[in-house]
Amino acid sequence: MAKGRILQVKESEITVISQKNTDYICLTDMTVSFREGSGLIGKWITNKNTLEYLGVWGKVNNPDFNYPEFGVIGQEAGTNRFIMSVGQWIGRTNASGMLVKSGRYGGTYAHKDIAFHFAMCLSPEFQIYLVNEFQRLKDDENNRLKLEWNLQRTLAKVNYQIHTDAIKENLIPPEITKQQASFVYANEADLLNVALFGITAKEWRDSNPDKTGNIRYYATLEQLVVLSNMKA
């Protein structure tokens, strides 16, 4: 689990964690500024409208959602004997959109869709601030990733020049032609391509005739980091 990030929503600091490339927002943190505190989560999860929403969300987003058991819960909801907690909801329906965590970032967490639904139940104003702050967080993260990708791409280009200079000084005899030298450069470059991408530059071009540039232009940030280290 990644380190928690903090959303500042009015007077509340709300933790966001990532698990399996999915963001979960802390419902427990969201209740701190409200008089009833975390007890609001229990009231929300037992509400029939909430359960209907969670059921639809699970059906659409979770292939392992236990829909027959959800039908049973739907029949029980609204009766005097009905009791439901987030843990029970997860256990009975195999829900994927909510988490109950202990430890440093402990609390009840939910996928952003569900967290926004809960926030709306707390306060429409609070929900609007939460949505805006979460979007700002994601925009900042995306901009940082783009910057890191561009830096690594620049580093890869610099290292490529170092790599070609090393080939020129150590592998190319002075008496060969420019065409022959180009074969040496290509062969050395393809050693890195095969090691990192599993194919040569020509194989990539043949498989991607609609794309411009070369195979390295479409590399991920992680691949660029490895490529830079391989060339250094």
Side-chain angles (χ1 to χ4, degrees):
M1 183 177 70
K3 179 180 178 182
R5 296 101 79 202
I6 300 298
L7 301 177
Q8 188 69 45
V9 181
K10 302 193 75 175
E11 297 82 21
S12 302
E13 290 189 347
I14 300 171
T15 306
V16 180
I17 61 174
S18 292
Q19 185 165 295
K20 296 181 179 179
N21 296 319
T22 300
D23 288 322
Y24 292 86
I25 302 173
C26 186
L27 305 188
T28 307
D29 289 348
M30 291 165 59
T31 65
V32 170
S33 61
F34 293 86
R35 183 164 53 88
E36 295 181 68
S38 60
L40 290 167
I41 300 174
K43 289 185 176 182
W44 170 76
I45 195 71
T46 56
N47 183 278
K48 193 174 182 70
N49 290 332
T50 296
L51 293 169
E52 289 176 353
Y53 174 83
L54 294 177
V56 173
W57 191 95
K59 182 179 180 181
V60 172
N61 296 286
N62 180 10
D64 298 320
F65 184 68
N66 189 339
Y67 205 72
E69 182 62 20
F70 168 68
V72 175
I73 293 173
Q75 293 177 346
E76 296 173 353
T79 63
N80 291 332
R81 65 181 182 277
F82 180 68
I83 298 174
M84 178 62 64
S85 68
V86 173
Q88 289 172 325
W89 170 257
I90 295 171
R92 291 181 64 176
T93 66
N94 196 33
S96 63
M98 302 185 75
L99 304 170
V100 179
K101 291 288 182 182
S102 58
R104 182 178 180 184
Y105 301 111
T108 299
Y109 289 80
H111 182 279
K112 65 178 179 64
D113 297 343
I114 299 172
F116 295 160
H117 182 278
F118 177 64
M120 187 66 167
C121 294
L122 294 177
S123 159
E125 181 184 17
F126 186 86
Q127 193 248 22
I128 291 170
Y129 278 108
L130 176 65
V131 171
N132 289 342
E133 181 65 10
F134 182 80
Q135 188 57 56
R136 183 200 61 77
L137 173 70
K138 300 309 294 181
D139 288 344
D140 286 348
E141 290 178 346
N142 288 335
N143 289 336
R144 186 165 60 252
L145 284 174
K146 289 178 182 177
L147 177 61
E148 291 175 355
W149 190 90
N150 287 330
L151 287 173
Q152 289 297 337
R153 189 162 179 261
T154 300
L155 180 60
K157 286 183 177 179
V158 172
N159 281 335
Y160 180 73
Q161 183 63 51
I162 296 173
H163 183 224
T164 54
D165 287 346
I167 294 171
K168 182 178 180 180
E169 292 177 6
N170 299 293
L171 296 179
I172 300 179
E175 64 274 9
I176 70 173
T177 65
K178 289 184 177 180
Q179 183 178 13
Q180 290 172 324
S182 68
F183 287 130
V184 177
Y185 285 124
N187 288 336
E188 288 296 318
D190 269 338
L191 285 177
L192 297 180
N193 289 336
V194 173
L196 185 59
F197 305 107
I199 57 175
T200 65
K202 183 179 185 305
E203 289 171 338
W204 182 85
R205 287 194 300 272
D206 291 342
S207 300
N208 300 275
D210 57 325
K211 293 184 178 180
T212 59
N214 58 58
I215 187 173
R216 300 179 188 189
Y217 184 81
Y218 299 92
T220 65
L221 176 60
E222 290 79 8
Q223 288 172 329
L224 288 172
V225 171
V226 173
L227 183 62
S228 296
N229 290 331
M230 291 170 67
K231 290 177 179 179

